[in-house]
């Protein structure tokens, strides 16, 4: 019992969980206040110290270049490549023979890679990409299940200075086609399929359809994962394993020396309006920021076995499955499939089998596993766990307590990390030494000044809801939206242009201890199971169905998913709604965007509430659905 963190009731009703002595004694950061103060008073000095912990081909001239706001630059003049730190530097040490990746497929197959072996695979595939004419600056699209080749393909692109655009394997035809087109990708890396809940997904079939809709793809490289029959076109389609067996796929490959500000990847994310945005990150600042946040927040030690159970297709996977853990020389766990397949003990079985010490996942996953009961985790020895993490949406205190008591056995602090695709890494987060309040992401990470303000930028009262802003730049920040710098300015920097603050798009409140409580999105972004979707995207998939002329979508609370999508559709003249049509429309959305975008229900309506300028008033639909006050209707057309 001595080693457990215990709640105390010092703040009236609210439970505060104090870290145990052993956590405090072993933590990288023993005193948050002192280092935080330093990081604010001398931000550039703080980041320069962190950057100096990495290898550089050439040291930077300037830590922060703020001459062209909001297009900040970090470590300008510096030369590096994220691969220099994620792989190359480990090869010169004992870590060469340390496990970099332990991977388990859903059917139970296991593959492991030491840093040496990972380097060999990455170098070989980098040479394959070069042989296909892939050049520095070009964007390769990757559409894969969670198999080692996904990480290998990302790393191989980075190594030769090409950028990657990973499209989540759960997305479907239109989502993929649109992203390929926007990135102008010539090369697509995919797989024949993947395993999910005992079934095979049809990745290559979807990829083929998407290639048909986007004119840019010349080469498609396919990993054989499941072995099902797939259509391969002469001169366009190549098998990964065949290319990797050719003499061109030699194991020697120089890492390309990049400018710190050169593009590492773009990752599409949903916004308020229009098409998804290609959020752009760079080699230098992103390396420093992800490695630093990972090391301090999860207290990374060489003996750790780190498992971020997200998908590499989202920013969580980019930053904290692939890049940060490799830079920190960790052993990474990767798992292909569903958490409850074949039984709800699948995760806990793997925690036991591999001795996982840190598990980082989403509230949706926790709620989903909690539903099956305590007996599943309790069948397993999970005593290797030291720290836990949560990300993607606010965690409800009930799920927090279950995670803490049943999975962490009261021993493991929970790092509830708030951040975004655009921030590159954690922004509001506890450290292992931070007293925790279930449901709060707690305090700003080093270098950050966070505030909750009104529309004029005035701090709202303690405990009141307002808009979350970040007041100062940080090395992991997005540099722009690919191909659309104006939109970057407009979406994130326009509302508080006078002050020069970044608008996060979330509402939040800050309590009397300075703890931040995230409430949710203020724009038309829906978080389904922690995944980010735009109402605009789902609506555009709805109206691409032949029978639908107009559509609106809203998010309503959902017990497992956090939020779920509800759709309203106006049918073409003369058509009648029916349960069959509702089903067909849901299937259509799944086919176009992916199963995560499938609406819970489609309600057929005669008209939609709109403003006089023709904008759909989603909040009116939402208020009606929830049976609450509709608020100010003065702008409603009728
Ligand atoms: C949005 C960003 C960050 C990686 C995964 C999501 C929500 C994220 C938390 C958290 C409450 C959270 C916010 C944010 N969010 N983490 N710990 N507590 N809300 O990245 O897809 O870019 O989504 O996710 O609403 O704005 P993303």
């Amino acid at each position: 019992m001595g080693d457990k963190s215990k709640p105390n009731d010092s703040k009236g009703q609210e439970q505060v969980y104090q870290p145990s002595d052993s956590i405090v004694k072993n933590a990288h950061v023993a005193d948050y206040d002192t280092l935080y103060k330093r990081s604010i008073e001398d931000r550039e000095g703080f980041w320069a110290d962190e950057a100096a912990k990495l290898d550089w081909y050439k040291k930077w001239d300037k830590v922060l270049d703020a001459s062209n706001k909001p297009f900040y630059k970090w470590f300008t003049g510096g030369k590096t490549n994220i691969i220099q730190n994620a792989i190359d530097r480990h090869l010169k040490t004992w870590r060469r023979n340390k496990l970099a990746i332990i991977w388990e497929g859903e059917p139970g197959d296991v593959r492991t890679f030491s840093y040496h072996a990972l380097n060999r695979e990455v170098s070989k595939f980098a040479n394959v990409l070069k042989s296909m004419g892939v050049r520095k600056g070009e964007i390769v699209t990757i559409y894969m299940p969670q198999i080692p080749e996904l990480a290998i393909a990302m790393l191989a692109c980075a190594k030769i200075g090409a950028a990657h655009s990973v499209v989540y394997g759960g997305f479907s035809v239109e989502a993929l086609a649109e992203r390929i087109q926007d990135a102008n990708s010539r090369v697509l890396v995919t797989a024949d399929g993947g395993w999910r809940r005992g079934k095979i997904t049809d990745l290559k079939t979807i990829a083929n359809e998407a290639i048909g809709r986007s004119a840019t793809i010349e080469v498609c490289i396919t990993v054989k994962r499941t072995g099902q029959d797939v259509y391969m076109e002469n001169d366009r389609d190549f098998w990964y394993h065949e290319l990797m067996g050719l003499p061109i796929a030699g194991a020697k490959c120089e890492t390309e020396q990049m400018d710190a500000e050169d593009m590492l990847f773009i990752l599409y994310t949903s916004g308020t309006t229009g098409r998804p945005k290609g959020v752009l990150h760079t080699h230098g600042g992103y390396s420093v920021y992800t490695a630093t946040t990972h090391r301090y927040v999860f207290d990374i030690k060489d003996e750790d076995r780190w498992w971020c159970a997200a998908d590499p297709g989202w920013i969580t996977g980019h930053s904290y499955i692939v890049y940060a853990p490799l830079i920190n020389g960790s052993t990474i766990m990767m798992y292909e499939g569903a958490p409850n397949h074949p039984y709800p003990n699948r995760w806990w079985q793997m925690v036991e089998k591999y001795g996982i010490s840190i598990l980082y996942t989403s509230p949706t996953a926790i709620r989903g596993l909690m539903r099956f009961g305590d007996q599943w985790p309790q069948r397993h020895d999970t005593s290797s766990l030291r720290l836990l993490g949560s990300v993607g949406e606010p965690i409800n205190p009930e799920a927090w307590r279950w995670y803490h008591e049943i999975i962490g056995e009261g021993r493991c602090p929970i790092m509830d990390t708030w951040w975004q695709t655009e921030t590159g890494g954690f922004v509001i987060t506890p450290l292992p030494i931070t007293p925790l309040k279930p449901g709060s992401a707690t305090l700003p990470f080093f270098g950050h000044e966070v505030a909750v303000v009104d529309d004029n930028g005035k701090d709202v009262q303690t405990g009141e809801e307002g808009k979350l802003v970040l007041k100062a730049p940080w090395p992991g920040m997005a540099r722009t939206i690919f191909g659309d710098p104006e939109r970057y300015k407009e979406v994130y920097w326009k509302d508080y242009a006078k002050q020069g603050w970044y608008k996060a798009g979330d509402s939040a409140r800050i309590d009397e201890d300075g703890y931040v409580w995230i409430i949710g999105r203020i724009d038309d972004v829906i978080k389904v199971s922690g995944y980010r979707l735009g109402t605009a995207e789902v609506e555009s998939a709805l109206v691409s169905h032949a029978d639908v002329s107009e559509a609106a979508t809203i998010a309503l609370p959902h017990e497992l998913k956090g939020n779920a999508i509800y759709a309203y559709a106006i049918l073409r003249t003369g058509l009648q709604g029916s349960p069959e049509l509702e089903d067909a429309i849901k299937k259509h959305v799944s086919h176009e965007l992916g199963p995560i975008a499938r609406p819970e229900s489609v309600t057929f309506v005669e008209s939609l509430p709109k403003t006089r300028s023709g904008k759909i008033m989603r909040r009116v639909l939402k208020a009606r659905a929830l049976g609450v006050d509709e608020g100010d209707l003065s702008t409603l057309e009728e």
Side-chain angles (χ1 to χ4, degrees):
M1 281 299 283
D3 209 29
K4 291 195 174 183
S5 60
K6 288 181 232 85
N8 64 32
D9 287 309
S10 61
K11 297 263 171 199
Q13 303 279 35
E14 204 167 59
Q15 284 192 332
V16 179
Y17 288 73
Q18 300 293 342
S20 69
D21 295 345
S22 72
I23 292 276
V24 175
K25 203 169 71 218
N26 295 309
H28 284 311
V29 180
D31 175 1
Y32 168 79
D33 293 339
T34 309
L35 195 54
Y36 179 74
K37 190 159 173 278
R38 195 257 154 152
S39 76
I40 298 305
E41 286 168 358
D42 177 17
R43 185 172 288 112
E44 292 180 37
F46 172 81
W47 286 116
D49 286 354
E50 294 303 328
K53 294 174 186 168
L54 300 185
D55 282 0
W56 295 79
Y57 300 117
K58 178 179 170 284
K59 206 186 153 193
W60 58 91
D61 302 321
K62 214 169 163 20
V63 175
L64 173 63
D65 173 355
S67 59
N68 182 25
K69 292 178 191 170
F71 300 98
Y72 294 94
K73 292 182 178 159
W74 287 86
F75 308 110
T76 48
K79 288 248 179 222
T80 185
N81 183 313
I82 201 161
I83 298 300
Q84 180 189 16
N85 287 294
I87 299 178
D88 299 351
R89 69 166 173 166
H90 303 312
L91 303 178
K92 297 179 248 165
T93 71
W94 65 271
R95 286 198 194 88
R96 182 178 193 104
N97 293 319
K98 179 178 176 176
L99 280 185
I101 299 177
I102 302 172
W103 173 85
E104 190 169 307
E106 198 188 72
D109 42 339
V110 176
R111 291 163 69 193
T112 57
F113 300 81
S114 65
Y115 276 88
H116 170 84
L118 181 64
N119 176 56
R120 183 164 178 272
E121 296 300 315
V122 169
S123 298
K124 282 166 63 89
F125 195 57
N127 282 324
V128 167
L129 290 174
K130 275 191 189 165
S131 78
M132 294 291 176
V134 174
R135 257 181 276 277
K136 191 170 168 174
E138 165 173 351
I139 303 172
V140 173
T141 297
I142 300 175
Y143 178 61
M144 282 177 130
Q146 187 159 181
I147 54 177
E149 286 80 4
L150 169 49
I152 292 165
M154 290 166 70
L155 296 162
C157 288
K159 187 172 176 75
I160 61 173
H164 52 74
S165 163
V166 178
V167 178
Y168 169 54
F171 272 136
S172 195
V173 180
E174 185 55 25
L176 176 58
E178 194 172 54
R179 286 161 175 77
I180 288 174
Q181 195 100 32
D182 189 78
N184 217 346
S185 274
R186 219 170 45 75
V187 176
L188 174 68
V189 187
T190 186
D192 54 353
W195 288 97
R196 189 81 195 171
R197 234 163 247 118
K199 292 208 196 86
I200 285 173
T201 55
D202 276 330
L203 283 189
K204 178 60 174 153
T205 311
I206 294 169
N208 284 343
E209 213 183 310
I211 294 172
R213 288 192 202 179
S214 43
T216 59
I217 296 294
E218 293 166 15
V219 172
C220 177
I221 301 173
T222 304
V223 177
K224 190 175 270 198
R225 164 66 186 133
T226 54
Q228 84 250 44
D229 260 343
V230 292
Y231 173 74
M232 301 281 279
E233 194 163 293
N234 265 345
D235 300 333
R236 181 194 78 188
D237 280 318
F238 301 86
W239 286 108
Y240 179 93
H241 63 275
E242 287 179 2
L243 296 172
M244 291 289 270
L246 296 176
I248 46 136
K252 276 193 194 161
C253 179
E254 279 289 311
T255 302
E256 187 76 28
Q257 303 199 2
M258 308 293 284
D259 288 335
E261 281 292 305
D262 277 340
M263 168 167 66
L264 169 63
F265 65 82
I266 58 172
L267 182 60
Y268 285 90
T269 189
S270 304
T272 313
T273 52
R275 292 177 307 130
K277 309 170 280 203
V279 172
L280 190 148
H281 287 284
T282 57
H283 276 265
Y286 179 82
S287 293
V288 174
Y289 193 72
T290 54
T292 306
T293 48
H294 182 240
R295 190 172 61 249
Y296 286 150
V297 172
F298 283 101
D299 220 17
I300 299 301
K301 310 272 166 51
D302 249 319
E303 57 273 28
D304 274 319
R305 288 209 160 164
W306 162 260
W307 185 10
C308 166
D311 192 283
W314 302 88
I315 191 69
T316 315
H318 281 56
S319 300
Y320 298 110
I321 295 177
V322 180
Y323 288 116
L326 289 177
I327 295 173
N328 287 329
S330 308
T331 297
I332 298 158
M333 174 71 203
M334 270 176 90
Y335 168 60
E336 176 187 32
N340 57 346
H341 188 83
Y343 300 107
N345 65 332
R346 184 64 189 265
W347 274 18
W348 319 125
Q349 196 178 40
M350 287 186 289
V351 167
E352 173 186 293
K353 180 173 171 191
Y354 300 110
I356 302 300
S357 55
I358 313 174
L359 175 68
Y360 182 44
T361 184
S362 67
T364 291
I366 297 160
R367 286 192 295 264
L369 288 166
M370 185 167 99
R371 175 173 64 130
F372 296 111
D374 304 355
Q375 71 275 19
W376 295 101
Q378 282 171 346
R379 257 167 57 178
H380 294 278
D381 175 8
T382 54
S383 60
S384 56
L385 288 171
R386 182 166 65 82
L387 283 169
L388 298 171
S390 173
V391 61
E393 53 188 314
I395 180 165
N396 48 309
E398 194 199 350
W400 195 100
R401 288 199 183 90
W402 186 80
Y403 198 27
H404 188 259
E405 289 312 317
I406 304 300
I407 304 308
E409 297 170 328
R411 175 185 67 242
C412 311
I414 297 174
M415 303 297 104
D416 179 355
T417 60
W418 178 91
W419 57 296
Q420 309 177 298
T421 307
E422 295 85 345
T423 69
F426 313 146
V427 173
I428 303 170
T429 173
L431 299 175
I433 56 164
T434 309
L436 302 173
K437 301 182 189 182
S440 169
T442 76
L443 302 166
F445 187 74
F446 303 120
H448 280 287
E449 283 167 273
V450 168
V452 170
V453 299
D454 64 17
D455 286 336
N456 302 315
K458 231 177 80 101
D459 278 335
V460 299
Q461 300 274 321
T462 301
E464 294 290 307
E465 181 171 347
K467 292 178 177 171
L468 183 68
V469 295
L470 308 183
K471 292 187 170 179
W474 63 102
M477 67 200 300
R479 296 304 191 266
T480 189
I481 292 172
F482 179 69
D484 203 349
E486 276 313 306
R487 195 164 164 210
Y488 175 72
K489 259 170 125 165
E490 153 103 27
V491 175
Y492 307 105
W493 302 94
K494 198 190 70 185
D495 286 11
Y496 301 101
K498 220 172 48 206
Q499 300 89 340
W501 298 342
Y502 169 90
K503 181 188 77 168
D506 278 19
S507 64
R509 55 191 181 81
I510 298 184
D511 71 15
E512 64 283 359
D513 295 323
Y515 277 42
V516 182
W517 299 76
I518 303 293
I519 295 163
R521 300 289 307 190
I522 38 182
D523 49 14
D524 291 319
V525 169
I526 303 183
K527 282 248 133 188
V528 186
S529 303
Y531 296 131
R532 181 163 157 187
L533 290 166
T535 49
E537 270 176 293
V538 186
E539 287 159 11
S540 126
L542 284 161
V543 298
S544 73
H545 186 280
D547 295 348
V548 178
S549 74
E550 249 190 285
T553 51
I554 57 166
L556 293 178
H558 187 279
E559 210 185 317
L560 284 180
K561 302 176 182 176
N563 287 292
I565 299 173
Y566 288 79
Y568 297 83
I570 303 179
L571 293 173
R572 290 196 191 282
T573 333
L575 292 179
Q576 206 66 100
S578 67
E580 293 73 37
L581 184 55
E582 180 181 357
D583 203 47
I585 294 172
K586 286 183 188 172
K587 282 213 182 84
H588 175 77
V589 173
S590 260
H591 179 74
E592 291 297 300
L593 270 183
I596 45 163
R598 186 188 164 99
E600 229 49 34
S601 75
V602 183
T603 307
F604 299 108
V605 293
E606 295 295 317
S607 67
L608 291 167
K610 284 186 188 162
T611 61
R612 274 174 222 116
S613 59
K615 275 174 83 176
I616 297 170
M617 294 180 79
R618 294 186 187 80
R619 68 170 173 84
V620 174
L621 287 170
K622 191 164 173 170
R624 281 183 199 162
L626 291 172
V628 300
D629 181 30
E630 294 175 7
D632 178 13
L633 293 181
S634 59
T635 56
L636 191 67
E637 190 186 27
E638 60 203 34

